[in-house]
Amino acid sequence: MSRLDSFIRRLEAQRACLDRATELVRDLDGIVLELGLGNGRTYDHLRELFQGRDAPWRDIYVCERQVAAHPDCVPPADRLLLGDMFKTLPAAGFLIDRVALAHFDAGTGDDAANRSLAAGLRPLILPLLRGGGVLATQQEMTCPELTALPLPGGVADGRYHLYRRV
Amino acid sequence: MSRLDSFIRRLEAQRACLDRATELVRDLDGIVLELGLGNGRTYDHLRELFQGRDAPWRDIYVCERQVAAHPDCVPPADRLLLGDMFKTLPAAGFLIDRVALAHFDAGTGDDAANRSLAAGLRPLILPLLRGGGVLATQQEMTCPELTALPLPGGVADGRYHLYRRV
């Protein structure tokens, strides 16, 4: 499989998991948290899922160190947690127990760095997720507080991860 | 359609067009030219198509201003045309009439800049393409010397382009 094949599968897995996660939180109050904006593609997808026509509206908060997204994909200033997530997440007391869906994709090509970042962020994300809330993540975040959920059809084990907050 | 949906479709179109182009040049001698390396994903796909197991071997030359690809996707130094394509392509006399398949994807998010780059490069690419050679490109490159070819199934008109050198 070429890197192009592999990249396409990763994006398809990401989309399928976000779509599935949306169904999973349908009956759960709470906001959406995008951990890292990047170019804004997944944020745009979340906007369609949670703020699109016919979609029941949810607030989407976005963490980003420095905004470099497509101009169409820049969140409103009052929904942006600007800065290092290791500082902004612990300071975001108003998000504690309020997140119904969080999404994380470290998004660099460095697997070891991605894993390390995911492990570091996990304890900062957990308190924000409400009971029953869902975490969709490209990087594994196994821990007792998170129950792994089955992946959508066509998504290979380990390619993406869905967890439910205990 | 979200930007994530749109990006996935563009990559799927790219892959389908590269795969189709490979069939189209099967009986045509000549080398492969990747116009822009970027992160190396399409170069890696071309390597599978033209240098993979069971694939009839073809040389792949790659143009890039400054290599920033994944380390696994860096071409051999003697197959790399390093520098501004507006300088390296006119200087690559050894490629004239030798290219069976060229691939171009400007790859930035700026459509106007992409179109302008494509228009500027087209007259530099044409002399390198041998008669019957194929150009796969994300940006339109209409001109009398290039005949537009049908796209693979599932690729929307305009999403990618395949041309045959007259």
Side-chain angles (χ1 to χ4, degrees):
Chain A
M1 196 189 333
S2 71
R3 282 182 177 272
L4 179 60
D5 291 320
S6 168
F7 187 55
I8 290 172
R9 289 203 190 184
R10 188 168 79 76
L11 291 169
E12 287 170 339
Q14 179 179 66
R15 178 174 57 182
C17 286
L18 290 176
D19 294 354
R20 168 65 62 87
T22 303
E23 294 164 25
L24 290 169
V25 301
R26 183 173 292 152
D27 298 321
L28 202 68
D29 279 343
I31 63 120
V32 175
L33 179 62
E34 170 73 318
L35 297 145
L37 178 63
N39 51 46
R41 276 194 298 259
T42 54
Y43 171 61
D44 192 45
H45 199 70
L46 291 169
R47 281 196 302 200
E48 280 214 357
L49 293 170
F50 293 107
Q51 299 180 350
R53 209 173 34 170
D54 307 327
W57 179 280
R58 287 186 200 249
D59 268 340
I60 304 175
Y61 283 79
V62 178
C63 300
E64 179 60 73
R65 185 188 300 266
Q66 194 171 2
V67 172
H70 190 281
D72 291 347
C73 301
V74 176
D78 61 354
R79 294 294 180 271
L80 186 61
L81 281 69
L82 193 64
D84 182 339
M85 283 192 270
F86 285 94
K87 292 180 183 156
T88 58
L89 290 179
F94 68 101
L95 290 179
I96 290 174
D97 263 336
R98 283 197 54 213
V99 175
L101 169 60
H103 172 246
F104 174 70
D105 180 356
T108 81
D110 182 339
D111 288 342
N114 289 350
R115 276 195 302 273
S116 160
L117 180 60
L121 287 175
R122 196 187 58 209
L124 306 182
I125 297 168
L126 280 177
L128 310 185
L129 276 175
R130 56 161 291 178
V134 169
L135 170 63
T137 165
Q138 212 239 310
Q139 281 72 35
E140 193 177 350
M141 291 208 194
T142 306
C143 66
E145 295 86 351
L146 295 172
T147 307
L149 298 173
L151 297 170
V155 177
D157 261 5
R159 197 174 282 281
Y160 231 82
H161 304 271
L162 286 172
Y163 297 100
R164 174 90 76 180
R165 177 77 162 98
V166 174
Chain B
M1 195 187 334
S2 72
R3 284 183 175 270
L4 179 60
D5 292 320
S6 169
F7 186 55
I8 290 172
R9 288 203 191 185
R10 188 168 80 72
L11 291 170
E12 287 170 340
Q14 179 179 66
R15 178 173 60 182
C17 286
L18 291 176
D19 294 353
R20 168 66 60 86
T22 303
E23 293 164 26
L24 290 167
V25 302
R26 184 174 293 153
D27 298 323
L28 201 70
D29 278 343
I31 62 119
V32 175
L33 180 62
E34 169 74 319
L35 297 145
L37 178 63
N39 51 46
R41 277 194 297 259
T42 56
Y43 171 60
D44 192 46
H45 200 69
L46 291 169
R47 282 197 301 199
E48 280 214 358
L49 292 171
F50 293 107
Q51 300 180 349
R53 210 171 34 167
D54 307 328
W57 179 279
R58 288 186 200 251
D59 269 340
I60 305 175
Y61 284 79
V62 178
C63 300
E64 179 60 71
R65 186 189 299 268
Q66 194 172 1
V67 173
H70 190 280
D72 291 347
C73 300
V74 176
D78 61 353
R79 294 295 180 271
L80 186 61
L81 282 69
L82 193 65
D84 184 339
M85 283 192 270
F86 285 93
K87 293 183 180 152
T88 58
L89 289 178
F94 67 101
L95 289 181
I96 290 174
D97 264 335
R98 283 197 56 213
V99 174
L101 169 60
H103 171 246
F104 174 70
D105 179 357
T108 81
D110 182 340
D111 288 341
N114 289 349
R115 276 196 300 273
S116 160
L117 179 61
L121 287 176
R122 197 188 57 210
L124 307 181
I125 297 168
L126 280 177
L128 310 185
L129 275 175
R130 56 160 293 178
V134 169
L135 172 62
T137 165
Q138 212 239 310
Q139 281 72 36
E140 194 177 348
M141 289 208 195
T142 306
C143 67
E145 296 88 346
L146 295 172
T147 308
L149 298 173
L151 296 170
V155 179
D157 262 6
R159 197 174 282 281
Y160 231 81
H161 305 270
L162 286 172
Y163 298 102
R164 174 91 75 180
R165 177 76 163 98
V166 175

